[in-house]
Structure formats: C-alpha cells, structure tokens
Amino acid sequence: MHEVPESHTGWTFLTNHARVLAAIAEDRTTRIRDIAVRCQLTERAVQKIISDLEGGGYLTHTRQGRSNEYRIEEGTLLRHPADSGPTVADLLALLARHDAEHGGGNQQLRRASPRARATEGDL
C-alpha cells in the first residue's frame, strides 16, 4: 500500500480527478480503498470521481472476479476549452516524466501512456 503524504492546505495544480486518473494509470487493478489513501480522499469521493470519469468517456472498467480492471481512454481530449488539443495520454506522459525526473519512481505510470513509452529515451 502507498504511504500517505502529509496533508496540504491551499490550492494545488492538479484536480482530484487527475490524481485518481494517475493512480489508476499506475495500477489498473488498484482498489478504491488504495486510491483513496493515495489521493487523500474518501472512498465515496473516489467512487464519484470514477463515475464522473466513466461518464465523460475517460475510463471504463470490467469486473475481474471481485475486483475491477480499469481501462483509460488515452485518446480522449481534456475537458476544459482552454486545454483543447492535449489528450489524457499527454497528461499522463507529463506526470510520468515529472515523476521520473524527480525520483518518483512511478515506472508503471511511465509505461501506461503510449507517448511516455515513445519518449522514454528522451528522459
């Protein structure tokens, strides 16, 4: 299980939706409970965010026994009109690159995005 980071007050650059999506990109079979701990959210909030992401076409899931396996629709464009152009894959590649450069070690996240795999030699 992931270590819970210290709490933070004030504004942040990433939304909770982006944090949940990044957690799923790192481990597509992760449990809602583990996402909640990692993102410092309640399990109910994570369920709502996953529902939002599925409703928006960014994410799908299939049941694997008692667990879910998530699939990120990487070609989906980001929602805000000012962000037109970049895709979910672009966002995940950016987050993976940041983690790689700062010792985050999210190797699974780096492999989650086709663009990250294509530029891996540039890191």
Side-chain angles (χ1 to χ4, degrees), residues 2-64:
H2 297 285
E3 184 178 314
V4 178
E6 293 182 29
S7 62
H8 182 279
T9 59
W11 64 274
T12 63
F13 282 100
L14 297 178
T15 66
N16 289 336
H17 285 65
R19 286 187 186 93
V20 168
L21 193 64
I24 291 170
E26 185 175 329
D27 179 0
R28 296 176 194 266
T29 61
T30 190
R31 299 178 307 169
I32 287 175
R33 175 179 298 152
D34 295 332
I35 296 170
V37 168
R38 174 184 170 157
C39 298
Q40 294 186 330
L41 299 169
T42 65
E43 290 180 35
R44 183 78 177 138
V46 172
Q47 289 173 333
K48 171 73 169 97
I49 290 169
I50 288 173
S51 177
D52 289 347
L53 292 170
E54 287 183 318
Y58 293 90
L59 188 65
T60 58
H61 78 274
T62 55
R63 290 295 282 173
Q64 302 291 330

Side-chain angles (χ1 to χ4, degrees), residues 20 40 54-56 72 100 105 111 113 115 121:
V20 168
Q40 294 186 330
E54 287 183 318
I72 296 172
R111 290 189 295 267
S113 166
R115 181 150 306 176

Side-chain angles (χ1 to χ4, degrees), residues 48-116:
K48 171 73 169 97
I49 290 169
I50 288 173
S51 177
D52 289 347
L53 292 170
E54 287 183 318
Y58 293 90
L59 188 65
T60 58
H61 78 274
T62 55
R63 290 295 282 173
Q64 302 291 330
R66 293 176 42 184
S67 301
N68 288 320
E69 183 171 341
Y70 299 98
R71 180 173 183 268
I72 296 172
E73 301 297 331
E74 295 175 338
T76 308
L77 297 176
L78 301 180
R79 287 178 52 97
H80 196 282
D83 297 330
S84 65
T87 64
V88 169
D90 296 327
L91 173 63
L92 294 173
L94 179 65
L95 293 174
R97 186 176 192 136
H98 174 272
D99 284 347
E101 290 172 354
H102 293 89
N106 286 335
Q107 296 301 317
Q108 290 174 333
L109 179 57
R110 289 182 62 201
R111 290 189 295 267
S113 166
R115 181 150 306 176

